[in-house]
Structures are given as C-alpha cells and as structure tokens.
Amino acid sequence: MPSSLPYSQSMSPKGPQSPSKSINDSQVTKKKRYRLSFVCQGCRRSKVKCDQEKPVCSRCSKHDLECVYDVTKQHAPRNPNKAATMARLRREVEYWKKKVASLTEENAPISNGNNENDKFWDLKVNLYKTYPRLIISSVLKREVTPLSENYLIIHDRFLCTLASSIFINAPKNSLVSALVTDVNVNKSHPHLRDVTLKMKETLKNRHPDGYERERIDKFFDRIVQLRGFSEQAQYQHIMQMFANSTSTEYLEDNCPGNNEYSNTLREIIDHFQSILPPYAVIMCHKQHFYENVYPFLPFIDKEMFEESLNVILFPDQTDPSKIKLKLGNTRLRSKVESIAILSVILKLSYISLNSVTFGNMEVKNSYVTKAMLQDYPISDETVLVAQKCLVAENWIVCVNENTISCLLYIWSFHVFAPENGDFFLECPSDILSNLIIILATSIGLNKDPSVLPLLNNPDMSDPRLLNLRRMQWLGVVAMASMESNLKGRQLLSPTELMNYFIDRNDPNALEIYMKRIQKDFNKSVLSSLVTNRYMLQIHELSFKRTQLALLLADLNRVTMSYKTGFSLRSVENLRKKINSVIDEDFDFIDLNEITEIDKKNGNISLLATQNSIAFLSRVMSTLILTRTSMALLLHFEKRCITEKDTMLPYFAHYFLQGCLDSISLASHFLNYYQGNMTSKISPLMGYTVSKELQLSLSSTLFNLLVIIMRLQFTEQMANCYVPSGLTEDLQKIEIITSLRMKLELLLKNVYLLASEHLRFVYFSVFKLLSLFDLVIQKVQNGDLLYDLFNKTPTTEIEPRVLLFLRATFNIDVKDNEPLVHNLKDHYMLTSLSVEQLQHVLEEVIKTIRNTQISTSTTMAEPEGTCTPMKNFDSINSPTLGTYIREANNESRNSLEPEADSGGLSGEVNMDLPNTLINDDVIMSIPEIFSSLGVSEFDLLFNNE
C-alpha cells in the first residue's frame, strides 16, 4: 500500500514521523537569515538601493508607497559580531544627530512681519494638481507646470485679458499672422508677406549698422520662411545622430602599417582639414579657451587632451592656411574623438570672442585678434562634423569619457550660440541632456570612481581619468538641473543620481569631495603642483555650482508634488537655504583689486569666471524664486475670491514677495547693462551672461507687467467707485500710484536696455520686444488697460481667434461685452490696509536702493508720490485713456522732488528708436511670449 505521507518523510532514515503534525508543520524548515536587513520592505522586494531615510525612505516618499522597516522583527544573529554591532550603533547615532539638526533647521519659525503664528506656514498648497493645463494644437501638446515660464502667461487673468485685447484689436495691417512660424499659414496668406517685407525695409532704414541689418534680414526671413529650414541644420543633424546603424560604416581603431584608412575615416580627415583654420589660429583659440572658457566648461583633462593633439595636429607645410592630421595606425578612434572635441572647442572660443565689442578686443585678449576673427571665422560646420564623428563611432554603443566631453560641449554650443537663441527653451536640448545622462550612467559616471577597482589600477587606466570623471558628472548633473529648473519640468532625476556619487545632504560634502580630488591628484606623477592647485579651485567652484542647481531642482520638485501637495514652510525653508548658499558661496571679487601674485599665477581669468558664475547663479536663483512667488501669488489671489478672510494674509505676503523678487530680477539686468558690473565681470564672459539674461528677460518683463496691471486696475476701480472724502481710500490710491510709477520705470528701463543690447542678437528677444513695443507705448500713454473697456461685437472677430483665446487663455469673449469683466473679483489690493500697502512701498524702495540700480539720465521718473487720479463717471467711458493721460500729466507736474525716491529720479524719455512701431505698419505678435519658442503659442493661434 503506498504511503500517504510526503516523500521526504516516508524516505526519512528515522522512519515515518508522527501523524499528529500537519503537513505544513512537517515541511522542511528554511534556513534562517542571521544577517540583519536595514532597508525597507518595498526597496528590498524591488531589489533597489534604499537610502534608509526615516521614517520614510526617499523612494517610497517619491512614489507615495507605504515604507516599513522590519529590522526590529528580525531574529538577531546567534553569534553577533561585537565590532559590527558597535559600528552599526555608531552609524545610527550619527544618522539621528544629522536628522535632528536638519529637522531643527527646517522647523525653525519663520517671521512674517505682523504674522508670527507658526500655523501660518503649515498651510498645504497643491499647484500642480489644482491648476492642470495643457497647451494643445493640431500638431503638439505641452504641459504647463508651476515653475515653467508659461505658467504666469497661461494662468494670470490680467495678462490673459491684456493679450486677448491685443489680438482682438490688432489692426488689419498688423503682422499677427505673419510672425507665425507655421509655414502653411504664411503660404495661405501671401498678402502677409508683403506687409512683413515692408516692415523689414522700414526697420533696416532705421539701422545703418551692418551687423544689425544682417540680423534683421535673418530674423524676417525666419518669420516669412523665405529660406525654409536650411538654417535649422542643427536640428536635422541631431536627429541624424540617431541614424540606422545598418546604413553607417563605423570607424576602425587600427589599420595596416601603410595607413590604408577606410573611406569613412578618410572622408572625416579631409573634412576636418578643409574647415579648420590655420595651425597658428587654432593655437590662439586654444589658449583663449583654456584661460576664459575652460574654467566655466571644464569637461576635458587639459594635459591628456594636449598629449593627444600633439601627435596628430600639425601645420600644413605646403599650404600655411591649412592644417595636417596624422593619425598613425593605432588608437584611431581616440584621436578622431580629440579632433572632434577640438572642433567644438574652437567654435565655443569664437562665440565667446564675438560677444565682445571690437573696441575692447585688443586690450582684453592677447591671443585672438580682431583680424583673426574676420579672416578666419569658425562656422557651425565644425560642430556638425563633430556630430558626424560620433555617428561614425557608433557613439550610443561605444561610449567613453571622450564621447561625454564632446556631447557636453555640443550641448554648450547649442545653448550659448546666438543663432540658436531659442534652442534652450525647446525640445532638442531636452533630447541632448537626457541622452547625456543615460550615456553617462551607462559608463558609471554617477558613481565615484574610487569604488570602481579597474579605474584605480594604473596598469588598466590613466589615473587622471578619476578626477575627469568626477568633473564630467558634476557637469552632467548641473546641466540636467538647469534644464529642468528653467523649463519647470522633471527630467531624469539628477538628484537621485547624485546620491550614488556623494551624500549631498552631508554638511561636509564639499570637504569630502575635495579630499577625494586631492588624493587622486597625488596619484598622477604627470600633473604639476600649479596645475593641481588650479584644478582644485575649478573642482570646488563646479561642486558649489552643482549643489545650488540641485537646491533649485528641489524647489521645482516640491512645487510639482501631485498627491499630497506641499506646505508653505517647505518652500520658505528652501528659499532660505538657496539665499544662504548664494551669500556664502557666490560672492563677488573686485577684479581691480586683485594682487600681483594672482596676476603672476594667471588667476585673473579664473577669478573672472568665478565672478561670472556668481552672477549667473544669482540670476538663476532669483528667476526660480520669482516664478515660485508669482505662482503662489496667483494661487492665493484666486482663493481670496471664495476664502477672502483666511487667504488675504497669504495674498498680502506673496504680493510683497512677488514685487521684491521681480525688482531683484530686474536689477540683475539693469546692473549688468548699465555698467555696474564692469569691475567684476570680464567682457570675455559676456557670452554666458547675455544668454542667462536672455533666458530671464521674458519673466522679468512679464512679472513687472502683471504687477503694474493690478496696481493700475486698482487705481481705476477705486477712482470710479470710491466716494470722495474717504481719507483712507485716498491714501491707498496715493500709495498704489507711487508704487506703480516706480515699477513702470523699472519696466521701461529693462525694455530699453534689452532693445539696445539684445533685440538683434536673439530671435526670441526680437519677437518678445515686438510685443512690448506696443505695451510700453500703452504704459507711456497711460492707457495700458484702455482696450479692456471697449465693447467689441464678436461678429467682427475671426472665429479662429475666438477659439484660440478660449483654448489658450480661457477667455470667453461675449458679444458687446468688454473684456474687463473677466477681471471681476480680481482686484484684491483694495482689501489691503493702508499699513500693509505702505509696508510694500517701503520695502520696494529699500530693495531698489539695496540693489544699487543706477539712475538713468534718459529714462527716469519724477520723484515722490502721485496724487489721486480723477474719478470717472462710467467705467465704459470712451475717454478713459485721455483721462488717464491727463491724470498722469497733472500728477507729475504737481509734484516737487523728494529726497527719498528709492534711487529713481528724472524725466521719462521714451523715444523708441528700435521699436517695430511706425505710422504705416503696427507689428503685433501671435508668439507673444518668447518662451513659447518654436510653436506653442503660434500653432494654437493658427489651429485651423
């Protein structure tokens, strides 16, 4: 009879077991685990690294998972190791010390003027979930996130209403449709091309300068698509980098002794020899790059790079205007990579030198002369050939440090080249940055090289690669963070990837990093002491810059919390940390006071770079903080409509914060272009500064504009409806008017300086300022809001315009009803007390004074405060614009200068020499906002 017991029991040497036990109890017991596990259950099950953060690890927190640590439920080892137990306990103690210190700092009470209650900052906000918006057209979709540049444009009712009035009231001969980048629209409306070309000739007649006329030709050709997409070659070549590998012949790494190169390699060599400048010019550009560009973009090891070039790059003995490449027979790929990097470096050097005015060129640069730039221009083709080399090497599969260096420099080219002014704000740079992260992690750059044994074996790898890899990873993280911060998006998280590299939350993170660098510098017998000291400074500067970028990424991540939202305390503490880092790590050095030792050691360029990075870091931080405060201002303004009693204090706080942040952002622009930074920033760093200011320009202008609109709207509503004789209300109007005039002056100054310095440099600024030509004229005439009170029959408006306004701005235009009704219940400033408004005015004046904005002689404001404007019999009065102008003129003429005006004084002179407004044609733009780049705004407007 067969046994009914399990096989393992029936065949046991001890015979059958007692049948009283259940089958489960009789099963073989698994071997117990005696090694304690300190990770959470979720990370252990998923087999991913757990940072063991308490009470919830970062991974579980990010994905809203339940985080359970079961270390207390596990059986202790039978024979525990005493030393291991003591080490574990010491780690626990250190962890909780750091935790207590961080919690103490985060929960420190934040004072807010009259509101000292801690509960004020415990309020939870959810911007990402509460205001979901998607820009949609027939060809694209783009999400609008809280810290993106488009958020203010899409969500602010004042700005949306003003933009709608511009579209509705645009004259028949305007360029509303002509400036759309959609070729189909221009093809279907040929009459618009005639209007555009007429405007082009008018503008060229006003600008005899050859460079400006050339840029006008180029910009208008882009508008009407005369050249198709020939100038967009860089976009095509980026996509060609993903070409099908089966159609590409890859480069060899070795060849026979008689230099029998493949056709692909021979073609690349011939191409480089035909486009690169003479050997002497290359040497001059290299020296300029090493001194003035490399400290900002240190993605190569200079010694290793020079060693490679010295054996392959030579002057052509038969033709002095050419160079000769001698690659030899071995390590061909590495040599081609060095030439590819060189070609991109030459272009970056050329860009940096072209950003300097020729008048200062000879004095400031001792390597490249004006004649060199004119006789041997470095074309964009050098970058395209470098990309071709990567394709020929099967770069996605065969990745190394040279590949990463080349890609980082290609990304830098697309960011800083004026011809690619929109590139940073569009998808192609997203492709590059994400791609670089993926490739960098594929070769282990995200881990400190000290943990990779083969890299630390001098027989297997050059010791100099250790610090190069560290520098490259800092560059990758800083690049990705800057991309995500500016665009308000979450790319592949550099914050998480940084955790494998170093614990960035450790207070001693910089010290730990620098010790690693110094240790590996000592391994290299080839590096000199001077070189090591110089590189240590660059490493320290790069680490600080990356730490700041990650802090800004933290702020972006917090505002995009979807399920639980975020507390105001978390935002304010991040603001405090960011400002603290800026004050401690990014101070300025006066270049006029540097020592002779610094001059002798050649540290002037490094100090100039340090100042430039300090300035750029301040601009970037102020930009992100301003977007945060403006997003919260809009949030609480909307909530005040239904929860006024509880939300008004928050509105008051963020209105003040928005004003101060907007002034600080504008001050960076004004201080640089008014010449206040000449003793701190070298003109040779202008290519980086002008790019950063271009990226912040639209936020600077629109932030000031939306605040001014609220102030002017409050003035008009108060004058229409406030009974005469109410002293408190008259005081409010007086304060609001004074505040408006100061902000208007800032707006006009930024506009004029941008028009003078950037209008013909970046295509996005050219488009942006075309809108502000109209806006500034309205501000100057005092009728900024005039068109909002007009009644327009919907029968006179094109249906596609109505659809566009509804889809983009959520503005529903009703027949014979003024647009101002869209602002119903949005004038919250009247609810603030006189004391609160006076506090705002005083803080604004103090901030203007502290930012040291220079007083302009051609653009200034009457000192003092303005008297109340006249009352209007009807809000729909057809003479409203006239009344406003009269009120402004009377109030200005009636004032005597005061001693304290916050640093702004003088007469306003608004002769707009660079504007696109004339008697024949008025230019208006469907791409109102330059940040929308290639077609977010345009294609919606032309959605057929």
Side-chain angles (χ1 to χ4, degrees), residues 181 422 763-771 925 927-928 933:
T181 56
D422 292 339
F763 184 55
S764 58
V765 176
F766 179 78
K767 295 181 291 184
L768 174 68
L769 293 183
S770 299
L771 167 74
I925 299 184
E927 277 192 81
I928 286 187

Side-chain angles (χ1 to χ4, degrees), residues 72 84 91 119 124 217 268 270 295 351 384 423 439 441 453 501 519 589 656 664 740 757 859 874 916 933 943:
T72 58
R91 288 195 301 269
K119 293 183 179 179
K124 283 257 184 177
D217 279 332
I268 289 176
D270 292 342
I351 291 172
L384 302 182
F423 195 89
L439 295 179
T441 55
F501 186 75
K519 177 183 176 182
I589 300 170
L656 170 61
S664 297
R740 172 183 59 79
H757 295 280
M859 182 78 185
S874 169
L916 302 182
N943 189 352

Side-chain angles (χ1 to χ4, degrees), residues 651-667:
F651 170 79
H653 171 79
Y654 285 105
F655 177 75
L656 170 61
Q657 193 66 63
C659 288
L660 301 184
D661 288 342
S662 299
I663 293 170
S664 297
L665 188 59
S667 71

Side-chain angles (χ1 to χ4, degrees), residues 56-241:
V56 181
C57 74
S58 299
R59 177 179 174 273
C60 292
S61 174
K62 178 182 177 181
H63 299 290
D64 290 333
L65 301 175
E66 182 183 8
C67 190
V68 178
Y69 290 95
D70 53 5
V71 62
T72 58
K73 301 177 183 179
Q74 301 176 60
H75 296 287
R78 290 177 180 175
N79 300 308
N81 184 289
K82 185 177 179 180
T85 303
M86 293 297 295
R88 176 175 63 84
L89 292 175
R90 279 194 294 268
R91 288 195 301 269
E92 285 287 314
V93 171
E94 283 298 316
Y95 168 80
W96 287 113
K97 280 183 179 179
K98 292 179 182 178
K99 187 72 174 177
V100 170
S102 63
L103 289 175
T104 302
E105 181 182 357
E106 289 180 5
N107 293 321
I110 305 173
S111 128
N112 178 44
N114 298 327
N115 198 324
E116 300 284 346
N117 191 351
D118 273 356
K119 293 183 179 179
F120 182 89
W121 301 106
D122 292 333
L123 182 70
K124 283 257 184 177
V125 174
N126 195 326
L127 299 177
Y128 195 39
K129 188 175 183 179
T130 307
Y131 308 109
R133 287 299 297 272
L134 197 67
I135 297 176
I136 300 177
S137 77
S138 58
V139 296
L140 68 81
K141 294 179 176 64
R142 185 72 57 83
E143 185 183 24
V144 180
T145 55
L147 295 193
S148 66
E149 198 166 28
N150 308 334
Y151 188 84
L152 181 69
I153 297 168
I154 297 300
H155 287 284
D156 181 53
R157 298 300 291 173
F158 284 86
L159 198 53
C160 289
T161 306
L162 178 65
S164 300
S165 71
I166 291 177
F167 279 103
I168 292 173
N169 296 289
K172 298 298 183 182
N173 62 340
S174 70
L175 302 182
V176 169
S177 296
L179 290 179
V180 178
T181 56
D182 187 347
V183 180
N184 295 326
V185 173
N186 289 321
K187 298 293 185 182
S188 61
H189 297 80
H191 67 281
L192 295 174
R193 176 170 299 188
D194 298 334
V195 177
T196 307
L197 296 178
K198 182 178 180 181
M199 172 59 68
K200 170 183 170 181
E201 294 305 317
T202 301
L203 199 55
K204 287 177 66 176
N205 291 336
R206 295 184 180 184
H207 296 274
D209 180 77
Y211 172 80
E212 291 182 350
R213 292 171 67 89
E214 178 185 347
R215 301 298 287 180
I216 291 171
D217 279 332
K218 181 173 292 188
F219 289 165
F220 274 90
D221 288 348
R222 282 181 70 174
I223 290 170
V224 298
Q225 300 291 328
L226 288 179
R227 300 181 185 177
F229 294 98
S230 61
E231 294 186 2
Q232 305 300 320
Q234 63 270 27
Y235 296 91
Q236 298 176 12
H237 279 263
I238 286 178
M239 300 313 298
Q240 288 175 3
M241 292 172 72

Side-chain angles (χ1 to χ4, degrees), residues 516-579:
R516 295 175 183 174
I517 298 296
Q518 183 65 65
K519 177 183 176 182
D520 289 328
F521 270 140
N522 295 335
K523 292 181 180 179
S524 175
V525 297
L526 299 176
S527 299
S528 66
L529 183 62
V530 175
T531 300
N532 289 351
R533 189 184 304 116
Y534 176 80
M535 290 306 302
L536 281 172
Q537 292 176 291
I538 293 181
H539 272 277
E540 181 177 354
L541 193 59
S542 299
F543 190 86
K544 290 178 179 178
R545 182 170 56 169
T546 303
Q547 284 283 66
L548 177 62
L550 289 171
L551 272 178
L552 296 174
D554 288 341
L555 181 58
N556 182 40
R557 177 181 53 80
V558 166
T559 59
M560 292 183 67
S561 301
Y562 186 77
K563 289 188 177 181
T564 59
F566 59 92
S567 68
L568 295 181
R569 185 183 302 279
S570 63
V571 170
E572 294 305 315
N573 280 307
L574 276 171
R575 171 186 286 272
K576 184 170 67 173
K577 286 182 181 179
I578 291 168
N579 288 330

Side-chain angles (χ1 to χ4, degrees), residues 542-772:
S542 299
F543 190 86
K544 290 178 179 178
R545 182 170 56 169
T546 303
Q547 284 283 66
L548 177 62
L550 289 171
L551 272 178
L552 296 174
D554 288 341
L555 181 58
N556 182 40
R557 177 181 53 80
V558 166
T559 59
M560 292 183 67
S561 301
Y562 186 77
K563 289 188 177 181
T564 59
F566 59 92
S567 68
L568 295 181
R569 185 183 302 279
S570 63
V571 170
E572 294 305 315
N573 280 307
L574 276 171
R575 171 186 286 272
K576 184 170 67 173
K577 286 182 181 179
I578 291 168
N579 288 330
S580 175
V581 168
I582 287 291
D583 293 337
E584 293 176 6
D585 295 338
F586 297 97
D587 201 3
F588 291 111
I589 300 170
D590 194 331
L591 298 181
N592 294 330
E593 298 178 1
I594 59 176
T595 64
E596 292 298 325
I597 297 178
D598 289 324
K599 293 180 180 179
K600 186 176 180 180
N601 293 336
N603 289 340
I604 299 178
S605 60
L606 182 59
L607 295 176
T609 302
Q610 183 175 332
N611 279 349
S612 299
I613 291 177
F615 183 78
L616 298 179
S617 300
R618 290 170 181 268
V619 173
M620 175 69 73
S621 301
T622 309
L623 175 62
I624 302 303
L625 292 174
T626 304
R627 289 182 183 176
T628 305
S629 58
M630 295 302 291
L632 289 169
L633 169 64
L634 298 186
H635 171 77
F636 287 116
E637 184 180 59
K638 292 179 181 178
R639 292 187 65 175
C640 277
I641 297 175
T642 56
E643 308 171 68
K644 192 170 186 177
D645 292 340
T646 55
M647 293 295 110
L648 191 60
Y650 295 99
F651 170 79
H653 171 79
Y654 285 105
F655 177 75
L656 170 61
Q657 193 66 63
C659 288
L660 301 184
D661 288 342
S662 299
I663 293 170
S664 297
L665 188 59
S667 71
H668 294 309
F669 195 94
L670 296 175
N671 278 324
Y672 181 75
Y673 284 117
Q674 287 178 343
N676 296 344
M677 306 298 294
T678 52
S679 65
K680 300 179 178 65
I681 299 179
S682 167
L684 293 173
M685 297 302 297
Y687 72 102
T688 62
V689 177
S690 62
K691 181 63 188 183
E692 190 78 17
L693 293 176
Q694 177 247 330
L695 292 171
S696 66
L697 179 60
S698 58
S699 289
T700 304
L701 292 172
F702 282 117
N703 288 339
L704 291 171
L705 179 61
V706 298
I707 296 174
I708 289 169
M709 290 181 67
R710 282 164 171 77
L711 294 169
Q712 190 172 80
F713 185 70
T714 303
E715 290 179 73
Q716 295 179 12
M717 298 302 291
N719 278 288
C720 289
Y721 295 116
V722 173
S724 59
L726 295 182
T727 305
E728 181 179 358
D729 293 303
L730 293 177
Q731 289 176 334
K732 288 183 181 180
I733 298 174
E734 183 176 348
I735 295 170
I736 287 173
T737 304
S738 178
L739 182 59
R740 172 183 59 79
M741 293 175 67
K742 294 186 182 301
L743 295 181
E744 281 183 358
L745 177 59
L746 282 177
L747 177 67
K748 295 170 186 175
N749 270 285
V750 171
Y751 162 80
L752 286 180
L753 288 172
S755 186
E756 178 182 354
H757 295 280
L758 299 179
R759 183 187 286 268
F760 300 114
V761 178
Y762 299 102
F763 184 55
S764 58
V765 176
F766 179 78
K767 295 181 291 184
L768 174 68
L769 293 183
S770 299
L771 167 74
F772 273 87

